[in-house]
């Protein structure tokens, strides 16, 4: 019999390790917190997500569920142990080649599950891959690529091995790519960049020699932008470090923005390093939302880089004694073609300290050069992701750090009536912090903190809240009166909708609803806070709004903003959910209370219950038609929002309303905001109207569209799916479209409903136009991921609640798409080089739900008007 307290040894990646036992000690804790092997990630703590997968004697296990007493004398392999002699393992290589990740938080677990599969089945078929990886969740939903990557790995693993593997990375390039992951903390300005008066922003006392190019356009009344500026530094070593307030939560704006810098400055992509979301170093930014990275930060960074290029060309012209117009900038150097002379950028800036403020950009200076934009480019952080070297907020640790947990109310709005913390305070090593509405515990490790938290006895007064089956009535009966504007009501009337509905020969009315759903980023919210001796606090946290979090921290802590620094490492998923500052405030307050750095990482249940949800929606639509023309349209959204409420169709009489309601559950932004619900209602209703008018739904849409780009994506999706082709009984095709955030999307779905009424999605086609394409591979990845994420919300995702208490706050109970849920997804990108790029993180998600609902109707004649459509997979008969 094994003594769980006895010391033991195990072999980790070939190295013998002594291990001290303990009551709470899991294999995951040992690997991450004691051995520093952070490739295996905490995702759920319940054995349901696979993010912590490692191999135990060659078998994949969930490290969070393995107690150290079970591993004595056994061999553990983690993702860090796969690459050998600087060469990637074939599975890592394949994931890198295919780009089978977005945020990459799931990747180590996926890779290890795939390694185990290929070791027992060298050439698996699709079904075997799906079965082997079905226990691993990728919330970014890159499953189509993961499937391809495993097959590609099977090819790579075949003979010949080693250096002859196609595309294998050299040891040097791999090491360099991973080394680039090191944090930049060497530059310490006196004040944060955005809080320094503009005239004083030269930073020469802290920057190494080189050229600094700064672009801070004056605010314009004509254009709304989230980014206040961009700047970059060209150093004596030729390295380019660019700075933006945007962050990367998995959408890979890091690569897209780096490409724009590389192209404009004419340097290889490998020369560019992008510092994102550090409030001391980066220009101010409202937040990474609304698909604004490319339109806002991209434009500013490109101008800063083009301005830097022009300065370098002028420097070279002075050195060569020629006209700048005679020079060509390319590959990090300026060449005098006529004189056959070249000077590298690092030679041009050596010994200089120049600050160039970029107002106007001379795009012609330096001539044309080969461009990366528009060509497939792999993710710049890919090597670090597949090797486990990438450090997410959850992976950060600093000397002396403690772990905090916070007591939560059972429902929103509950107030603490009575509490007894004596048992928690008696746990050795635990400090209870109870001050100003915050009640938490701090302990040397997260298990102890969790155990102590569980020993706090609390009684709560709860408000009366509804259950899920009473939600529609509750929302209708609890309107919020507010001013129009952001989050407030919205009303628009065109023509005379009442009269037009009254006389319309064809009249239709229907109500559509959507459930609350959760973001479920694979990395839960986390923050690490450390106070300096001078009373300044630094908080590392995964957020989409680092400057907003800084402001909230300053207010909460009673500090001026310059005494707060927020650093945002690339984060394991956001999807519009990581806007709030709660976890950062908790970590900072606990750290201040105990005088030590404190990390707070929300558990999976906390992520469900304390993070906000996508709002539930009740949408009433009435329409009227005469002959083949839609004459009236009335649409009222209760609770979820006005985004996507204004449709693309030309209808002479319309009424559009959004009425906010008092939501019983915490709600907020989610990928594409309310556009998903509003598109579901509008595009479903268009289908219903087409049926009532006896018209083809595609034709009805096209007849009422003035937007040629939208018509083009509709045609593209319809042609590819085979619109109008006869199909067997039980088979149906649906289509839906929309305009959102400046992009156009059309989604077509082919479904089958068998005699058992089970729904099978045979195929999804999505046509997408977001203007000029910067990185087609990254864009395709975003579009695929959005479609698959939307699939979950369309088919089965829903928060269940009783009297305001969420009842499915675990991975086991809240279903998200897994690899076996994913049908073939075909992406058609329409490039519009003449139109500035719009973001692509949100729009591709809006049309999938109505396209499926319309396809189910085409297949069965059953109209489903509530999301999720088929929670149990069965179409009602
Ligand atoms: S399965 Fe271990 S963290 Fe999810
Ligand atoms: S890439 Fe899989 S969870 Fe983000």
């Amino acid at each position: 019999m094994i003594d769980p307290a006895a010391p033991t040894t195990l072999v980790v990646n070939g190295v013998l390790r002594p291990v001290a036992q303990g009551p709470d000690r899991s294999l995951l804790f040992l690997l991450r917190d004691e051995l520093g092997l952070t490739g295996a990630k905490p995702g759920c703590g319940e054995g349901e997500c696979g993010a912590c997968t490692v191999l135990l004697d060659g078998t994949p296990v969930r490290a969070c569920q393995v107690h150290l007493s079970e591993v004595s004398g056994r061999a553990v392999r983690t993702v860090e142990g796969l690459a050998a002699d600087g060469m990637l393992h074939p599975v890592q290589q394949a994931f890198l080649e295919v780009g089978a990740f977005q945020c990459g938080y799931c990747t180590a677990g996926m890779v290890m599950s795939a390694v185990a599969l290929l070791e027992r089945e060298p050439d698996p078929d699709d079904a075997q891959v799906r079965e082997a990886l079905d226990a691993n969740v990728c919330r970014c939903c890159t499953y189509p690529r993961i499937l391809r990557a495993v097959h590609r790995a099977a090819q790579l693993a075949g003979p010949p091995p080693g250096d002859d593997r196609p595309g294998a990375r050299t040891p040097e390039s791999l090491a360099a790519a991973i080394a680039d992951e090191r944090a930049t903390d060497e530059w310490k300005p006196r004040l944060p960049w955005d809080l320094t008066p503009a005239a004083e922003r030269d930073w020469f006392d802290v920057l190494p020699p080189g050229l600094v190019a700064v672009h801070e356009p004056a605010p314009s009344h004509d254009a709304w932008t989230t980014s206040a500026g961009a700047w970059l530094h060209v150093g004596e070593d030729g390295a380019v470090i660019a700075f933006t307030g945007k962050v990367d939560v998995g959408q890979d704006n890091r690569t897209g923005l780096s490409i724009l810098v590389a192209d404009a400055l004419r340097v290889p992509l490998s020369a560019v390093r992008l510092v994102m979301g550090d409030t001391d170093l980066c220009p101010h930014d409202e937040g990474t939302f609304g698909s604004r990275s490319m339109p806002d930060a991209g434009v500013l960074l490109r101008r800063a880089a083009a301005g830097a290029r022009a300065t370098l060309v002028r420097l070279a012209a002075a050195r060569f004694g020629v006209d700048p117009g005679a020079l060509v900038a390319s590959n990090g150097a300026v060449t005098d073609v006529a004189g056959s002379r070249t000077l590298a950028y690092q030679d041009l800036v050596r010994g200089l300290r120049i600050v160039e403020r970029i107002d106007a950009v001379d795009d012609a200076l330096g001539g044309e050069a080969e461009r990366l934009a528009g060509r497939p480019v792999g993710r710049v952080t890919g090597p670090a992701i597949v090797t486990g070297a990438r450090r997410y907020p959850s992976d950060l640790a600093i000397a002396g750090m403690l772990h905090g947990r916070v007591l939560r109310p059972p429902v929103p709005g509950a107030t603490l009536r009575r509490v007894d913390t004596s048992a928690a305070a008696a746990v050795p090593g635990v400090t209870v912090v109870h001050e100003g509405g915050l009640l938490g515990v701090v302990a040397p490790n997260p298990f102890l903190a969790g155990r102590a938290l569980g020993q706090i006895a609390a009684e709560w007064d709860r408000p009366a809240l509804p259950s899920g089956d009473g939600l529609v009535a509750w929302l209708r009966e609890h309107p919020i009166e507010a001013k129009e504007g952001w989050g407030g009501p919205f009303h628009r009337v065109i023509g005379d909708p009442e009269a037009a509905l009254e006389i319309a020969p064809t009249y239709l009315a229907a109500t559509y609803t959507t459930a609350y759903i959760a973001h479920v980023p694979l990395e839960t919210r986390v923050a690490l806070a450390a106070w300096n001796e001078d009373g300044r606090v630094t908080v590392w946290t995964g957020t989409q709004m680092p400057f907003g979090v800084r402001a909230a921290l300053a207010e909460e802590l009673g500090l001026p903003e310059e005494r707060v620094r927020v650093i945002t490492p690339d984060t394991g998923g956001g999807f519009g959910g990581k806007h709030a500052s709660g976890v950062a405030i908790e970590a900072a307050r606990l750290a201040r209370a105990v005088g030590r750095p404190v990390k707070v990482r929300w558990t999976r249940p906390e992520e469900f219950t304390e993070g906000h949800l996508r709002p539930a929606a009740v949408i009433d639509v009435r329409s009227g038609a005469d002959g083949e023309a839609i004459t009236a349209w009335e649409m009222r959204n209760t609770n979820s929002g006005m985004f996507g409420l204004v449709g693309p169709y030309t209808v002479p009489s319309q009424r559009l309303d959004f009425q906010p309601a008092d939501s019983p559950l915490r709600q907020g932004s989610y990928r594409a905001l309310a556009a998903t619900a509003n598109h579901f209602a509008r595009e479903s209703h268009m289908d219903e109207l087409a049926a009532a008018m006896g018209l083809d739904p595609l034709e009805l849409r096209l007849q009422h569209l003035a937007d040629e780009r939208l018509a083009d994506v509709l045609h593209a999706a319809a042609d590819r799916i085979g619109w109008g082709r006869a199909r067997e009984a039980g088979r149906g095709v649906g289509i839906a479209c929309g305009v959102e955030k400046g992009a156009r999307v059309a989604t077509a779905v082919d479904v089958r409903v068998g005699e058992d009424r089970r729904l099978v999605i045979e195929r999804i086609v999505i046509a997408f136009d977001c203007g000029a394409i910067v990185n087609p591979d990254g864009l395709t990845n975003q579009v695929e991921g959005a479609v698959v994420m939307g699939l979950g919300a369309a088919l089965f995702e829903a928060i269940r609640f009783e009297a305001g208490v969420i009842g499915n706050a675990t991975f086991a109970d809240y279903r998200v798409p897994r690899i076996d849920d994913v049908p073939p997804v075909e992406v058609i990108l329409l490039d519009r080089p003449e139109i500035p790029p719009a973001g692509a993180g949100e729009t591709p998600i809006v049309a999938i739900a109505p396209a499926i609902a319309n396809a189910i109707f085409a297949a069965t004649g059953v109209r489903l008007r509530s999301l999720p459509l088929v929670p149990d997979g069965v179409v009602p008969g």
Side-chain angles (χ1 to χ4, degrees):
M1 173 141 168
I2 297 170
D3 176 1
T8 186
T9 58
L10 77 162
V11 178
V12 180
N13 296 332
V15 179
L16 188 68
R17 302 279 192 173
V19 178
Q21 297 285 351
D24 295 316
R25 293 162 61 77
S26 68
L27 177 57
L28 185 62
F29 178 75
L30 171 84
L31 294 171
R32 291 175 54 81
D33 292 72
E34 296 191 358
L35 303 184
L37 297 171
T38 54
K41 304 293 184 207
C44 64
E46 52 178 301
E48 293 286 341
C49 76
C52 63
T53 303
V54 299
L55 303 191
L56 188 59
D57 292 337
T59 301
V61 296
R62 311 281 172 252
C64 70
Q65 299 298 298
V66 177
H67 191 272
L68 283 182
S69 59
E70 300 172 56
V71 298
S72 179
R74 302 175 72 181
V76 174
R77 260 166 102 197
T78 73
V79 74
E80 292 93 341
L82 290 182
D85 302 324
M87 303 297 297
L88 293 176
H89 185 282
V91 174
Q92 294 172 307
Q93 179 65 32
F95 271 64
L96 191 59
E97 270 185 37
V98 175
F101 39 75
Q102 286 184 18
C103 75
Y105 196 80
C106 70
T107 305
M110 288 283 182
V111 164
M112 297 313 292
S113 291
V115 166
L117 169 66
L118 295 182
E119 286 180 355
R120 65 175 188 275
E121 177 51 65
D123 189 18
D125 59 23
D126 267 10
Q128 289 170 310
V129 177
R130 287 172 184 270
E131 186 184 352
L133 269 55
D134 203 46
N136 290 72
V137 169
C138 175
R139 186 51 171 162
C140 300
C141 296
T142 58
Y143 298 115
R145 284 164 180 252
I146 290 169
L147 197 57
R148 292 211 308 272
V150 179
H151 290 308
R152 175 66 178 145
Q155 287 177 344
L156 291 173
D163 293 354
D164 295 332
R165 287 201 310 259
R169 296 177 76 89
T170 65
E172 294 75 23
S173 66
L174 175 60
I178 294 172
D180 203 36
E181 284 298 292
R182 287 170 307 191
T184 305
D185 201 23
E186 62 267 32
W187 297 355
K188 298 194 187 308
R190 285 182 303 274
L191 283 173
W193 174 264
D194 67 312
L195 299 176
T196 306
E200 295 169 23
R201 285 185 205 155
D202 54 21
W203 280 18
F204 273 5
D205 51 346
V206 295
L207 290 182
L211 164 68
V212 179
V214 182
H215 180 49
E216 293 175 292
S220 158
H221 293 298
D222 304 329
W224 177 77
T225 179
T226 53
S227 301
W231 65 278
L232 59 86
H233 177 267
V234 182
E236 289 180 318
D237 56 357
V240 177
I241 307 186
F243 295 78
T244 175
K246 294 288 180 213
V247 300
D248 191 343
V249 291
Q251 72 278 45
D252 200 20
N253 52 358
R254 181 179 287 283
T255 299
L257 295 172
S258 299
I259 286 173
L260 293 177
V261 171
D263 275 353
L265 193 50
R266 311 278 162 78
V267 294
L269 185 59
S270 58
V272 178
R273 176 141 163 249
L274 192 63
V275 176
M276 307 179 79
D278 181 329
T279 60
D280 267 14
L281 302 178
C282 298
H284 194 278
D285 191 274
E286 293 293 317
T288 305
F289 49 67
S291 299
R292 301 301 302 172
S293 287
M294 303 313 281
D296 293 350
V299 167
L300 300 181
L301 280 165
R302 195 193 70 75
R303 286 187 195 148
R309 182 188 78 230
T311 301
L312 290 160
V313 168
R314 287 192 202 97
L315 286 172
R319 296 270 286 272
F320 293 146
V322 299
D323 187 278
L327 301 179
V328 171
S330 179
N331 202 26
V334 183
T335 299
D336 172 15
V337 180
S340 301
R341 294 173 291 181
T342 294
L343 272 171
Y345 288 174
Q346 57 260 49
D347 296 325
L348 287 167
V349 301
R350 182 155 296 121
L352 301 178
R353 289 181 178 278
I354 305 173
V355 173
E356 194 73 27
R357 297 191 181 279
I358 311 302
D359 295 320
V361 176
D362 182 354
D363 268 326
L365 206 56
E368 271 300 317
E370 202 180 348
R371 288 160 51 86
L372 285 166
R375 302 192 344 227
V377 175
R379 193 180 184 106
V380 293
T381 51
I385 286 174
V386 299
T387 55
R390 189 115 196 87
R391 304 276 283 179
Y392 296 81
S394 294
D395 301 330
L396 302 180
I398 51 181
M401 181 182 87
L402 300 172
H403 297 263
R405 290 286 306 277
V406 171
L407 189 72
R408 309 291 180 190
V411 295
T415 52
L416 194 58
R417 185 186 333 125
R418 194 169 308 128
V419 67
D420 179 356
T421 60
S422 55
V427 178
V430 168
T431 304
V432 174
V433 177
H434 193 183
E435 55 179 43
L438 176 78
L439 176 50
V441 296
V442 176
N445 67 59
F447 306 107
L448 202 55
R451 194 140 36 94
L453 190 76
Q455 296 188 23
I456 294 178
E459 294 174 21
W460 301 86
D461 289 320
R462 305 171 178 223
L465 294 172
S467 301
D469 55 8
L471 180 65
V472 170
W474 172 281
L475 294 175
R476 287 195 194 282
E477 291 162 7
H478 291 78
I480 292 178
E481 300 310 327
K483 286 200 181 122
E484 289 197 25
W486 180 262
F490 172 87
H491 304 290
R492 176 176 295 179
V493 178
I494 301 169
D496 188 347
E498 236 3 279
L501 285 167
E502 188 77 36
I503 61 169
T506 302
Y507 171 82
L508 207 58
T511 296
Y512 306 84
T513 63
T514 68
Y516 290 107
I517 62 172
H519 304 79
V520 203
L522 203 52
E523 182 180 40
T524 61
R525 269 154 250 235
V526 60
L528 165 58
W531 290 80
N532 296 346
E533 284 170 3
D534 62 358
R536 197 162 192 259
V537 64
T538 300
V539 180
W540 293 261
T541 188
T543 175
Q544 293 175 244
M545 297 179 61
F547 290 88
V549 170
R550 182 182 69 179
L553 279 164
E555 185 176 348
E556 182 75 22
L557 301 168
L559 295 174
E561 284 196 46
E562 69 252 27
R563 300 190 74 74
V564 179
R565 180 180 191 178
V566 174
I567 300 175
T568 311
D570 288 3
T571 297
F575 316 116
K578 288 182 175 168
H579 289 184
S581 48
V583 72
I585 289 172
E586 290 162 6
R589 289 185 61 183
L590 291 174
R592 184 163 65 178
V594 299
R596 296 262 295 271
V598 170
K599 179 153 121 180
V600 176
R601 192 176 67 77
W602 284 10
T603 62
R604 182 53 59 185
E606 284 178 300
E607 182 65 39
F608 276 105
T609 57
E610 294 301 309
H612 64 260
L613 304 168
R614 189 182 82 176
V618 181
I619 303 174
D620 302 301
V621 184
R622 297 199 300 157
S623 61
D626 190 354
E628 297 197 351
I630 306 173
T631 52
W633 186 272
E634 190 180 271
M635 186 161 159
R636 177 184 176 86
N637 177 314
T638 301
N639 189 54
S640 83
M642 52 79 63
F643 283 87
L645 190 57
V646 178
Y649 301 114
T650 306
V651 180
S653 289
Q654 300 186 44
R655 177 191 301 280
L656 304 170
D657 296 299
F658 161 54
Q659 175 57 55
D662 183 13
S663 169
L665 302 185
R666 259 182 223 100
Q667 63 179 26
S669 60
Y670 180 102
R671 195 174 198 172
L673 300 169
T676 309
N678 287 324
H679 278 78
F680 171 60
R682 179 172 48 250
E683 289 298 297
S684 295
H685 197 84
M686 282 295 286
D687 232 55
E688 295 197 58
L689 195 52
M693 296 164 75
L695 296 176
D696 177 275
L698 174 62
E699 279 309 312
L700 181 68
R701 287 178 170 85
L702 291 169
Q703 281 169 18
H704 290 81
L705 278 184
D707 187 317
E708 283 181 22
R709 290 171 65 191
L710 187 56
D712 285 349
V713 292
L714 264 173
H715 282 300
D719 289 349
R720 179 72 71 86
I721 203 85
W723 185 263
R725 197 193 309 145
R727 287 174 163 80
E728 70 266 25
R731 202 75 186 259
V733 170
I735 200 163
C737 66
V739 179
E740 190 60 25
K741 306 282 185 336
R744 274 70 174 167
V745 64
T747 306
V749 180
D750 182 353
V751 307
R752 177 163 47 85
V753 179
E755 287 183 2
D756 59 359
R757 307 298 290 179
R758 294 208 78 78
L759 175 71
V760 177
I761 310 268
E762 295 283 349
R763 194 171 155 229
I764 298 173
V765 172
I766 177 166
F768 188 59
D769 164 7
C770 62
I773 295 174
V774 175
N775 180 2
D777 185 62
L779 179 58
T780 304
N781 196 347
Q782 273 294 305
V783 173
E784 287 171 345
V787 166
V788 177
M789 192 174 189
L791 196 66
L795 297 181
F796 43 72
E797 281 187 50
I799 288 288
R800 299 195 307 267
F801 61 102
E802 294 287 332
V805 178
I806 292 177
N808 56 341
T810 63
F811 255 113
D813 291 329
Y814 184 94
R815 184 175 168 203
V816 297
R818 292 179 182 252
I819 195 167
D820 207 26
D821 293 312
V822 179
V825 178
E826 298 166 42
V827 177
I828 305 166
L829 299 180
L830 279 72
D831 192 12
R832 304 274 184 188
E834 72 286 1
I835 298 174
E842 299 182 278
T843 308
I845 204 172
V846 300
I848 178 72
I852 295 173
N854 295 343
I856 291 172
F857 177 76
T860 64
V862 174
R863 173 59 60 182
L864 300 176
R865 299 191 182 93
S866 291
L867 298 184
L869 296 166
V870 285
D872 55 0
V874 174
V875 177

